[in-house]
Amino acid sequence: RRVEVAVRETQARKSALAATPVEVPAPKAAAVTGAAPLPTSTPEQAKSVAPDVTCESCAAGSYTAWLPRKISAYCKLSEVVDALELVQGTEVALPNAVGAMNRLKRLQRQAGGDRKLVARLNGLLAFFGDVVLAHVDTLSGKLLSLTVNAIAESPSHRPLLRACAARVEVLAAQDDRGFDAQALSVTLNGFARARMRDERLFAALSAMACSRAASDPGQFNAQSVSVILNAFA
């Protein structure tokens, strides 16, 4: 009788376990805290790479590619290249493409004389650059500033840089509020580093800077002012 009771209890536990859904944790990137790859299927997840940014493609909410959720947690170029190559050639959301380019740019010096790593890095920058170029007419001020910062010193991205310059004039005409003091200073600094001294471009950026300074002078701290003045020097 005791055996029969034990058998029934065991079967009951097995049935309960079978009916309970099991959560499988996402794989974690090696030696990177909080860098587990997650599907960017919503605007909120897409913003994890470049937070607090908006664009028309974000509003659509149609993202299919997988990207590291916290790409800023990657401190080694080889690791971020390994992670981003998994989505190379797939459909990537615009904010993710911009964020990936900025992280690659920040870590690119680690490539040194490693020709293979440099080639992989350049391949990723070309891929993400093409993604941004295809949607350049939807770039917000924030995303545009990050894009220009990432490609300012890249000769292969001159077409994208010129497209960003044209987008600046459109946003200036619309008085895009996404161009705050920080975004303006980063954008001006990027175009100055790229040696793009287009008169219409700098006139549009100057008009926006003057407009922001008149309406909200408090957002211009010492750093943003010095960067803007240096760009016009």
Side-chain angles (χ1 to χ4, degrees):
R1 187 175 300 174
R2 291 179 180 176
V3 173
E4 291 177 356
V5 171
V7 169
R8 286 196 297 268
E9 290 178 350
T10 300
Q11 291 176 341
R13 283 196 295 270
K14 287 183 178 180
S15 298
L17 287 173
T20 303
V22 179
E23 294 184 359
V24 180
K28 295 183 178 180
V32 181
T33 304
L38 296 174
T40 55
S41 57
T42 68
E44 288 71 22
Q45 290 172 332
K47 292 179 183 179
S48 61
V49 172
D52 300 326
V53 293
T54 57
C55 63
E56 293 176 16
S57 58
C58 290
S62 56
Y63 307 117
T64 57
W66 287 50
L67 280 178
R69 185 174 183 181
K70 294 182 179 179
I71 199 172
S72 60
Y74 287 81
C75 297
K76 292 184 178 180
L77 177 62
S78 58
E79 291 178 350
V80 75
V81 167
D82 287 341
L84 293 177
E85 280 182 338
L86 297 176
V87 301
Q88 192 171 4
T90 65
E91 184 181 351
V92 178
L94 180 58
N96 282 331
V98 174
M101 290 178 70
N102 269 269
R103 195 59 186 168
L104 290 169
K105 181 255 183 186
R106 183 179 293 272
L107 302 177
Q108 65 183 355
R109 292 186 180 180
Q110 294 181 16
D114 190 332
R115 293 184 179 180
K116 290 184 178 180
L117 185 56
V118 169
R120 295 170 66 196
L121 168 64
N122 290 337
L124 284 170
L125 288 172
F127 166 66
F128 289 118
D130 288 343
V131 172
V132 178
L133 183 59
H135 302 284
V136 70
D137 58 342
T138 67
L139 281 175
S140 65
K142 177 70 172 181
L143 282 179
L144 190 147
S145 68
L146 294 172
T147 299
V148 173
N149 178 66
I151 65 174
E153 297 164 358
S154 173
S156 62
H157 286 97
R158 297 301 286 189
L160 176 55
L161 203 58
R162 287 192 291 269
C164 286
R167 179 63 177 165
V168 166
E169 295 185 32
V170 173
L171 294 175
Q174 298 173 349
D175 196 25
D176 188 288
R177 307 311 296 181
F179 264 123
D180 56 12
Q182 182 180 7
L184 282 168
S185 63
V186 170
T187 302
L188 281 162
N189 180 60
F191 282 122
R193 283 169 28 230
R195 301 291 193 272
M196 285 191 67
R197 294 292 182 175
D198 183 271
E199 185 175 346
R200 290 177 56 183
L201 168 64
F202 274 74
L205 289 166
S206 175
M208 281 194 288
C210 292
S211 175
R212 301 296 178 274
S215 61
D216 185 12
Q219 65 178 289
F220 287 85
N221 56 28
Q223 182 180 5
S224 61
V225 170
S226 64
V227 170
I228 290 172
L229 291 176
N230 183 68
F232 280 100

